[in-house]
Amino acid sequence: AAGCEVFTIDAGWYGQSDGNWHQQTGDWREKLGASFDGKMAVFAEEVRQAGLGFGLWMEPERFSTIVPVVHDHPDWFLQGDGGFFYADLAQPVVYEYMLNEIKRLVTTYQLAWIKIDFNFELGPARDELYAYYTAWYRIMDDLRTACPDLFIEGCASGGNRTDLVTLSHVDGHFLS
């Protein structure tokens, strides 16, 4: 009745360690003991039954130091700004991990919408930045190919990512 088409869950639904949402980024397992207590798929079905698409927020490019994949594969990550890490997407195994982790969420929750946020600066040298963005845009393109009904929203998070090239790899781009 309000004219909404999609219900999107924002930050805080993920991570299985102690700490706030900010410290959990990169652990895209559903949070247990809080939020939906492991039952977000049930809620997603309720949303669909109400006639809406279901969406999720995630920030796949930032990894906290407490995230299990960072501990299990430290060679997959590079130091970003603010004590966070980002994935070394030039490595094929890391590229596949990142793409498959996003696709896993799309499949698990039957997403109609995904908001890809970007809340920190990568901090690499210029040649590393070029290689990173070449791979990142390829992930977005591969995701669009694999999930053609998914709406991919880029989010600049206060202007951290406002380049026009991003818009050509997502369906919409939120500049705040």
Side-chain angles (χ1 to χ4, degrees):
C4 297
E5 297 176 24
V6 178
F7 187 96
T8 301
I9 302 297
D10 204 0
W13 61 267
Y14 51 86
Q16 294 186 358
S17 300
D18 291 331
N20 65 30
W21 71 269
H22 196 257
Q23 296 166 319
Q24 303 286 322
T25 52
D27 182 357
W28 302 113
R29 298 173 298 166
E30 188 177 340
K31 184 176 273 309
L32 303 175
S35 302
F36 297 95
D37 197 26
K39 296 181 177 89
M40 192 162 59
V42 173
F43 179 74
E45 184 55 33
E46 289 179 28
V47 169
R48 283 188 289 279
Q49 290 297 317
L52 300 170
F54 185 70
L56 279 182
W57 174 99
M58 77 178 299
E59 187 178 8
E61 296 175 85
R62 179 172 58 164
F63 291 81
S64 172
T65 58
I66 67 171
V67 172
V69 71
V70 173
H71 288 281
D72 294 345
H73 303 283
D75 55 317
W76 287 10
F77 298 93
L78 301 168
Q79 184 69 53
D81 288 347
F84 289 93
F85 295 95
Y86 65 97
D88 183 1
L89 298 178
Q91 296 183 52
V93 66
V94 179
Y95 178 93
E96 288 300 319
Y97 168 80
M98 179 76 79
L99 177 60
N100 288 333
E101 191 65 0
I102 298 169
K103 287 178 8 182
R104 180 187 64 79
L105 294 173
V106 172
T107 301
T108 299
Y109 301 107
Q110 300 174 37
L111 299 181
W113 188 291
I114 192 163
K115 183 174 187 172
I116 304 289
D117 208 345
F118 185 73
N119 287 307
F120 84 118
E121 295 182 26
L122 299 173
R126 185 176 297 160
D127 57 339
E128 292 170 336
L129 195 59
Y130 176 79
Y132 178 85
Y133 270 104
T134 299
W136 175 249
Y137 292 141
R138 192 165 46 101
I139 285 175
M140 291 295 97
D141 294 343
D142 288 350
L143 183 61
R144 289 171 88 180
T145 299
C147 308
D149 296 329
L150 177 68
F151 187 95
I152 304 170
E153 177 186 10
C155 182
S157 184
N160 286 328
R161 179 175 286 152
T162 56
D163 62 288
L164 293 176
V165 176
T166 295
L167 189 54
S168 67
H169 298 278
V170 296
D171 298 302
H173 193 56
F174 187 63
L175 296 177
S176 83

